[in-house]
Amino acid sequence: MPIPFNKPYFSGDETRYIEQAVRSGKISGDGMFTERVHRFFEQERGYQKVLLTTSCTDALEMAALLLAIKPGDEVIMPFFTFVSAANAFVLHGAHVVFADSTALNPNLDARTLEKLVTPRTRAIVPVHYAGIACEMTIILTVAGKHGLAVVEDAAHAIDSYYRGQPLGTLGAFLFHETKNIISGEGGMLAINETRLGARAEVIREKGTTRSAFYRGEVDKYGWVDVGSSFLPSEIIAGYLWAQIEHLADIQGQRRAIWQRYYVALAPLLSLGIALPALPDYATNNGHLFYLVCRNLDERTALILYLKERGIWAVFHYQPLHSSAYYVARHDGRSLP
Ligand SMILES: *Cc1c(COP(=O)(O)O)cnc(C)c1O
């Protein structure tokens, strides 16, 4: 039987909860299912404050708004990541300074990070590739020393940890169709700085105090800040809640499949093809299984070889610093 690139997990409860949301007559945002998801992350996973969003892209854009990113600001992130992280800041006129990967895995190299910091740097955006934690102690130290914000792109990183701490306790976090926990489209912003929490709620609700109004804290709601519509409907939250209830099963299956790949593909190491490498501070959440080839020809041949045997492997991110949109804006550093 062919092995597809990914297969969305379906427990059966998703459609039951969607029907429940529809029948309740409350399908706009911030209803019962959104509440349950928020409570799960805040009470069972130790996140300070979370807000569901319609995508991880939205959560990253909210982070850029919360940090009041403006033209001339610089933001450091890995060149090997999804375009949403860059777009969120470029939309506000920021300049993205791309960092190289470590020799061990595709994560941003924290040890060469500090030399990219200038007086214009505002934020560092580590991406936990394949759910493998970046070296957060060094990143947080550099950020602390220079007064920079840290926005974690934890799109791959649900149920994964850095020295026992859940990834995404500092930034954006997401659920998406090819990710471990899905809702079609969807995301979540986790805010770990108390002073940003109230403003995040306002930005998510079109720049208004609507969230406080629904809680009965103000008697009418008004326009108090900039914002947009970042909240998902209860139809999405109901789907997502069913997935969260099955998180242990999803993760168990993913880790078992990942382990099977690792054992079966280990002989590739002797051919010079790298397998996933987990530092001792990181955990494996089975988000994706990757191989690193030495060059394009080798990669093309490997993908073709697998395809002829019914296995759908794909290549991943195109480097952002040499992309059509950014190549002329990149500072020219080579990022091998
Ligand atoms: C998928 C992904 C995103 C974007 O998520 P959306 O929900 O599709 O907006 C951002 N960053 C990374 C690292 C991703 O893998």
Side-chain angles (χ1 to χ4, degrees):
M1 214 179 53
I3 300 178
F5 170 62
N6 81 295
K7 218 160 79 182
Y9 180 97
F10 183 66
S11 72
D13 290 335
E14 290 85 349
T15 41
R16 204 158 58 79
Y17 289 163
I18 288 172
E19 184 171 1
Q20 205 178 319
V22 173
R23 289 194 186 280
S24 77
K26 159 78 179 157
I27 52 173
S28 58
D30 281 341
M32 178 182 79
F33 288 112
T34 301
E35 181 63 37
R36 283 187 194 171
V37 175
H38 285 179
R39 231 186 299 136
F40 171 80
F41 284 100
E42 289 172 356
Q43 293 176 10
E44 288 180 42
R45 291 287 162 125
Y47 289 77
Q48 196 179 102
K49 182 179 178 65
V50 302
L51 291 168
L52 278 190
T53 59
T54 43
S55 66
C56 178
T57 303
D58 274 355
L60 288 161
E61 286 181 13
M62 284 181 68
L65 283 168
L66 279 167
L67 297 174
I69 295 293
K70 58 182 189 316
D73 288 348
E74 291 178 1
V75 177
I76 302 171
M77 70 182 68
F79 74 88
F80 188 72
T81 191
F82 194 59
V83 69
S84 291
N87 260 328
F89 298 96
V90 168
L91 268 172
H92 297 282
H95 180 68
V96 178
V97 176
F98 290 107
D100 211 346
S101 304
T102 69
L104 184 69
N105 62 39
N107 278 341
L108 165 156
D109 185 359
R111 288 162 198 279
T112 56
L113 182 65
E114 193 165 17
K115 65 176 199 280
L116 302 177
V117 174
T118 75
R120 316 182 81 148
T121 308
R122 295 283 316 285
I124 304 168
V125 186
V127 181
H128 307 295
Y129 185 77
I132 302 172
C134 293
E135 216 165 346
M136 292 308 288
T137 304
I138 301 183
I139 293 170
L140 293 170
T141 304
V142 172
K145 187 170 154 193
H146 298 277
L148 312 176
V150 175
V151 179
E152 288 176 88
D153 181 341
H156 298 180
I158 187 168
D159 200 32
S160 208
Y161 300 81
Y162 173 78
R163 298 192 191 282
Q165 276 183 285
L167 298 180
T169 47
L170 286 150
F173 195 82
L174 121 144
F175 315 94
H176 189 262
E177 213 214 18
T178 61
K179 276 105 188 180
N180 297 27
I181 303 293
I182 59 175
S183 60
E185 301 285 348
M188 188 175 90
L189 179 71
I191 305 117
N192 300 285
E193 260 205 52
T194 319
R195 71 183 171 88
L196 295 176
R199 182 151 189 253
E201 273 188 358
V202 167
I203 285 174
R204 178 167 167 271
E205 270 283 19
K206 303 97 183 157
T208 73
T209 48
R210 195 161 163 184
S211 298
F213 173 71
Y214 282 140
R215 285 195 301 264
E217 292 166 13
V218 290
D219 55 12
K220 55 182 186 299
Y221 74 85
W223 186 21
V224 295
D225 202 337
V226 294
S228 191
S229 192
F230 290 118
L231 71 170
S233 81
E234 280 293 292
I235 296 172
I236 283 179
Y239 192 109
L240 181 60
W241 178 244
Q243 295 262 312
I244 288 174
E245 284 190 323
H246 291 269
L247 182 62
D249 181 43
I250 292 172
Q251 292 302 90
Q253 288 192 38
R254 278 188 173 265
R255 288 192 179 103
I257 293 167
W258 193 99
Q259 208 52 46
R260 199 171 147 199
Y261 287 165
Y262 195 89
V263 171
L265 293 167
L268 288 176
L269 277 170
S270 65
L271 301 175
I273 294 177
L275 268 66
L278 270 82
D280 59 3
Y281 52 73
T283 57
N284 175 26
N285 70 346
H287 173 62
L288 59 79
F289 193 94
Y290 69 86
L291 298 166
V292 183
C293 297
R294 283 165 300 187
N295 55 56
L296 184 59
D297 286 348
E298 191 174 80
R299 185 181 85 179
T300 309
L302 179 60
I303 290 176
L304 185 64
Y305 177 91
L306 292 170
K307 190 174 172 190
E308 284 167 357
R309 284 154 185 81
I311 300 163
W312 292 87
V314 298
F315 57 83
H316 212 181
Y317 302 129
Q318 302 275 64
L320 292 179
H321 67 293
S322 56
S323 62
Y325 181 67
Y326 220 77
V327 68
R329 295 166 172 87
H330 176 60
D331 54 29
R333 275 173 306 119
S334 130
L335 299 169

